[in-house]
Amino acid sequence: MISVDNVTVEFNGGTLFSDITFNINEKDKIALMGKNGAGKSTLLKIIAGVSKPTRGKISAPKDAVIAYLPQHLLIEDNSTVFEEASKAFSHLVEMKKEMDELNIQLETRTDYESDEYGMGFLRSDFTRQTNEFSGGWRMRIELCKILLQNPDLILLDEPTNHLDIESIQWLEDFLVNNAKAVIVISHDRAFVDNITNRTIEVTMGRIYDYKVNYSQYLQLRKERQEQQQKQYNDQQKMIAETTEFIERFKGTYSKTLQVQSRVKMLEKLEIVEVDEVDTSSLNLKFPPAPRSGNYPVIVENVTKTYDDHLVFKDVSVTIERGQKVAFVGRNGEGKSTLVKAIM
């Protein structure tokens, strides 16, 4: 079990969150939720040991392995895929024998799409530079480094941002069926719902801990906020009535003790807070567009290569006015390249 004990983070005199405490159990699959700026990524970095809290501590067994996938990849561009993934074993000399056995399999196996093989790299990919790969494949390299460590706790900050549908489905299955404890930050609601059994919300410097998945949490949060709003309204009504009594009778001798009692009560009163709701949104306004032709995009026999690498060949597609088109495919198949070519 890993414990977060009274963790407080302060920036420039302000408090991001205060005295946060919770335990992470062996099979917990936790969604860390909250509006942008609430401190989710900061809390994840503290648990990972990347950042230090202002006060408080993270307690874990001495041999516990915590693996962290940041939102922004930290892959170096001067190494190969194999060299990058092998960093997972840099402090595990005792696993040398197992690594040798795995390397033999890597040299001989070709079942790249099997569940056991995993992330889908070809043998020929192992000696390629990491900067040759798309964002989705670079994310897979980071995931390889994490999964090879067999961690007790996996911390994932927006892991689906660069992954294709197949990779997301594979990751979901792994996290549900093979991973130990997991904490994930993600705006992909379906992904979060499929993998989590607990939701921790960071809001207004504190946390709410729900032993349910994301969809159930949303309903419980709504009920909590409705209850808070009712308590706040009732309290404000009481404050208004008490203030009116004080103002009305503060000069009346027979009411002096009652007035003083009510003044002291207001001074000691703890104001009910209604947790903030993330209502942030983008307000965009586009000028009216002129009517396009019937066929705004016509692609004819387009081929793209990078040196000796063929991305796609003889692509022809016509997009009619008003059509809504999805480009789908695995990471690295050329979706973004085709879009850039059209642009």
Side-chain angles (χ1 to χ4, degrees), residues 148-163:
L148 287 169
Q149 296 177 64
N150 189 29
D152 299 284
L153 172 63
I154 301 176
L155 306 174
L156 302 172
D157 196 344
E158 298 291 354
T160 64
N161 277 359
H162 299 283
L163 296 182

Side-chain angles (χ1 to χ4, degrees), residues 70-73 134-140 157-165 167-168 330-332 335:
Q71 183 173 355
H72 303 289
L73 300 183
S134 67
W137 283 98
R138 289 159 71 92
M139 178 66 81
R140 290 191 194 198
D157 196 344
E158 298 291 354
T160 64
N161 277 359
H162 299 283
L163 296 182
D164 57 31
I165 294 173
S167 301
I168 293 173
R330 296 175 60 195
N331 289 133
K335 301 185 298 295

Side-chain angles (χ1 to χ4, degrees), residues 101-112 117 123 126:
E101 294 173 354
L102 290 173
N103 282 330
I104 292 173
Q105 291 193 50
L106 291 172
E107 291 174 0
T108 58
R109 290 181 60 168
T110 57
D111 53 332
Y112 308 119
Y117 199 91
R123 175 68 186 170
F126 294 168

Side-chain angles (χ1 to χ4, degrees), residues 84-281:
E84 192 69 28
S86 295
K87 292 178 182 179
F89 301 110
S90 59
H91 62 296
L92 303 176
V93 179
E94 67 273 15
M95 294 184 71
K96 180 66 168 60
K97 180 180 177 180
E98 183 179 351
M99 286 178 62
D100 290 340
E101 294 173 354
L102 290 173
N103 282 330
I104 292 173
Q105 291 193 50
L106 291 172
E107 291 174 0
T108 58
R109 290 181 60 168
T110 57
D111 53 332
Y112 308 119
E113 302 301 326
S114 70
D115 290 339
E116 185 181 1
Y117 199 91
M119 299 303 292
F121 288 96
L122 302 175
R123 175 68 186 170
S124 58
D125 289 332
F126 294 168
T127 54
R128 290 173 59 189
Q129 294 293 310
T130 57
N131 60 8
E132 297 178 20
F133 290 87
S134 67
W137 283 98
R138 289 159 71 92
M139 178 66 81
R140 290 191 194 198
I141 296 170
E142 283 296 297
L143 284 172
C144 284
K145 291 163 61 177
I146 286 176
L147 303 183
L148 287 169
Q149 296 177 64
N150 189 29
D152 299 284
L153 172 63
I154 301 176
L155 306 174
L156 302 172
D157 196 344
E158 298 291 354
T160 64
N161 277 359
H162 299 283
L163 296 182
D164 57 31
I165 294 173
E166 291 180 9
S167 301
I168 293 173
Q169 290 173 339
W170 183 92
L171 181 59
E172 284 182 4
D173 181 72
F174 175 86
L175 294 176
V176 170
N177 297 311
N178 298 100
K180 297 176 185 177
V182 177
I183 301 180
V184 61
I185 299 171
S186 178
H187 286 85
D188 186 336
R189 295 189 175 190
F191 174 77
V192 169
D193 235 7
N194 289 339
I195 68 169
T196 58
N197 54 25
R198 181 179 172 190
T199 304
I200 294 178
E201 179 187 4
V202 183
T203 180
M204 298 178 68
R206 56 180 179 266
I207 65 167
Y208 292 94
D209 193 346
Y210 296 92
K211 304 300 188 293
V212 297
N213 69 4
Y214 180 70
S215 291
Q216 294 171 295
Y217 146 76
L218 288 177
Q219 181 59 38
L220 293 174
R221 184 186 67 174
K222 179 182 177 182
E223 294 172 2
R224 183 192 84 215
Q225 290 171 338
E226 289 175 348
Q227 184 180 23
Q228 287 177 336
Q229 188 64 54
K230 183 179 184 303
Q231 293 173 343
Y232 175 81
N233 293 340
D234 291 344
Q235 187 182 62
Q236 290 298 306
K237 180 181 178 182
M238 182 273 293
I239 291 173
E241 292 173 348
T242 303
T243 302
E244 181 184 4
F245 180 92
I246 293 171
E247 291 298 319
R248 182 179 178 185
F249 294 108
K250 63 182 178 181
T252 305
Y253 179 76
S254 60
K255 300 285 188 179
T256 299
L257 292 179
Q258 295 180 50
V259 168
Q260 291 176 345
S261 175
R262 282 167 170 76
V263 169
K264 291 180 180 179
M265 180 193 71
L266 290 182
E267 289 174 349
K268 296 180 180 179
L269 189 64
E270 186 173 336
I271 301 299
V272 173
E273 291 183 309
V274 180
D275 292 328
E276 57 191 355
V277 179
D278 190 356
T279 57
S280 58
S281 62

